[in-house]
Structure formats: C-alpha cells, structure tokens
Amino acid sequence: MAGYLTDTQFEKFKKLIYDESGITFSSSNRSILESRLRERVRNSSADDLDGYYQIIIRDEGELKGLLDSVTTNLTRFFRNQAHIETFEYYVIPELIKMKREQGNKEVKVWSAGCSTGEEPYTLAMVLKETLPPDFTITITASDISLKSLMIGKEGFYATQRISGVPEKYLKKYFDQREGGYAVKDELKKLIKFDYHNLQNDSGQRNLDVIFCRNVLIYFDAVAQKTVIDRFWASLATKSFLFIGHSESLFGMDTQFQFLKTDWACIYAKNS
C-alpha cells in the first residue's frame, strides 16, 4: 500500500468504526488503526485505502473482520482476583438468598467482551463450586471478535495460558492434552458463545450479573452511556454489574448504585 493514512482517510475510517462499534480512535492510537488497515488492505482485493473503504461499506463480512482486527483481546483466567472474590463471597450468596425467596433456581450471567473465553470459564467454575447443586447456570459470552469467540468455543488453551487456574479447578474441569489443556464438556455446556456488538441491544433480559471489564475504555462518553443503559435494561430488578478496575460510572447519569464490598467495588441494580 503506497503512502500513509491521510487525515481525511483517518477521519473517514474512524467515523465508520465508531458508528458501527462505538470504538474510538484518537491521535494517540492512530498508529494501531493504520497498522490494522495496512494488513487488511494487503489481504483484500483493494488497491489502496480508498478502495478498501468502498469494500467495507458494502461487505458486512469484511467490516466485521476489520472490527475484529482493531479490538484488543487481553485476558486471562481468574483475572483481577478481587473481582472473583467479590463474585464468589458476596454476589453469589446474595443471589442464592434472593433466588430461594423467589422460588427461582436459575442464575443468568453475561460475560460481555469475553475475548477468548477465559472469563466466562472462570465464572462457570466459580458458580459450579459455589451454587447449590439444584441451581442451574446459564452464561452468555459475547464479543465483537469472531476469531476470539472460536477460540473460546473450542476451549483449548496452551499450558502457559492456564497459569491463573487454581490446581483444584485445573484437575476437575480440564483435560491435559499435548501442548495444553481442554475445558471439559460439563463446563462448556454452561456457556453460549455469541457474536454481539455492544452498540446494539442483545435482547437478553432478567440477567443476574453482567461482567464487562476493560471494554468501556475503548468508547467515548456517549457510547459508554449507550452501553450502560443497555446493561440496565438487560438486568433483573436486583442484580450486579462488574466493570474494569480502571473504569467508572462516576459522573454518568445512571441508576446503578455504587457498591463497596470487602473485596472490590462493583455496581448494583436495585429497582
């Protein structure tokens, strides 16, 4: 590809990506976008950036491929131990008590921006270990990256990526294979991996918990508010929201209540 990303082209691609996904590019991360575009153009039938732009506005599959390439998929099992402890020692006991009062024994969780699946599998293990045996577990794991979703759905992880899994969980929920570990079917069946763009309504309702960590940082204030309002609509009357430790709803017009536990700070819906 000859030349660099011009200011006009940058604004054009930046707007398209924002309109389609809520992901924001600024001058500080412009080089990331340029790098991804170089690669996409090189592997397409386009001669240059302008030609590639014409392709993605007509081809939804190529547009999804571009959005996939500009997302950062950094994750690991049992990431942010304080959040996992809050989930295990505060949220789940609250849900058990509430569900028993309601006569409802299903716990529904959404891992939004699940990347390659480490988070939803972590949550599944904790739920399996903590919930009474007569409770049922439903976990939806979504992401804008189809490539990441395929890895999560396969459930095979190289040995070095398993480092955060406690030994008792590793023995119980994984099968060791050449080069790594495979998630057992009893855990996989609890999770539905699904493509979803957070700028759209997921259609989910009456969820008990949403995990959406280190995703809002890629959105501007308007897009963040849209996502948070959609989370509110998806959650049950009494429910919980986990966002990244560097993210906050401070200053946002939202009905979520800030909740400080002994382990970490999360958000609650109580109406």
Side-chain angles (χ1 to χ4, degrees), residues 11-206:
E11 291 300 324
K12 194 160 60 170
F13 280 100
K14 171 184 166 183
K15 182 180 187 304
L16 178 63
I17 291 169
Y18 176 78
D19 289 344
E20 292 292 334
S21 68
I23 296 170
T24 303
F25 279 93
S26 62
S27 56
S28 62
N29 57 9
R30 175 172 172 162
S31 60
I32 296 173
L33 176 56
E34 181 169 345
S35 172
R36 301 297 189 271
L37 284 170
R38 283 181 181 273
E39 183 180 355
R40 300 301 298 183
V41 172
R42 191 164 52 243
N43 294 317
S44 76
S45 59
D47 295 325
D48 53 26
L49 272 172
D50 292 328
Y52 183 68
Y53 184 84
Q54 293 304 312
I55 290 175
I56 60 174
I57 61 175
R58 295 192 308 266
D59 185 342
E60 185 179 352
E62 182 58 34
L63 176 59
K64 284 184 176 180
L66 174 62
L67 296 178
D68 186 330
S69 73
V70 300
T71 55
T72 303
N73 298 299
L74 297 175
T75 186
R76 63 179 182 275
F77 285 98
F78 290 85
R79 185 178 190 179
N80 192 334
Q81 192 62 32
H83 272 173
I84 303 304
E85 290 173 352
T86 301
F87 183 60
E88 181 174 357
Y89 301 125
Y90 180 85
V91 170
I92 294 177
E94 286 290 311
L95 289 176
I96 293 171
K97 182 171 64 176
M98 184 172 62
K99 296 286 183 180
R100 281 181 169 154
E101 290 173 356
Q102 297 170 345
N104 173 10
K105 294 181 178 179
E106 182 184 18
V107 173
K108 297 167 66 177
V109 178
W110 180 13
S111 171
C114 69
S115 187
T116 45
E118 286 89 338
E119 178 178 89
Y121 284 127
T122 296
L123 302 179
M125 284 185 275
V126 174
L127 286 165
K128 284 279 286 182
E129 292 293 311
T130 312
L131 284 177
D134 58 336
F135 274 57
T136 59
I137 302 163
T138 302
I139 300 174
T140 300
S142 71
D143 203 274
I144 202 171
S145 169
L146 291 168
K147 183 167 56 179
S148 295
L149 288 170
M150 292 305 293
I151 294 170
K153 194 169 185 178
E154 183 184 6
F156 178 81
Y157 299 93
T159 303
Q160 63 267 26
R161 294 179 64 182
I162 295 292
S163 59
V165 181
E167 188 64 27
K168 64 174 183 176
Y169 288 166
L170 192 60
K171 289 179 178 178
K172 189 170 183 179
Y173 295 112
F174 291 81
D175 290 320
Q176 187 170 11
R177 295 182 183 167
E178 185 178 351
Y181 290 81
V183 179
K184 289 186 176 181
D185 287 343
E186 67 170 296
L187 210 62
K188 291 173 77 171
K189 71 181 182 181
L190 303 177
I191 303 169
K192 177 188 176 185
F193 285 94
D194 191 24
Y195 177 87
H196 179 66
N197 186 329
L198 287 173
Q199 288 299 288
N200 302 322
D201 184 0
S202 71
Q204 299 185 82
R205 295 295 181 267
N206 297 314

Side-chain angles (χ1 to χ4, degrees), residues 236-249:
T237 303
K238 293 187 180 299
S239 48
F240 303 91
L241 171 66
F242 287 75
I243 60 177
H245 69 275
S246 63
E247 299 168 325
S248 172
L249 303 188

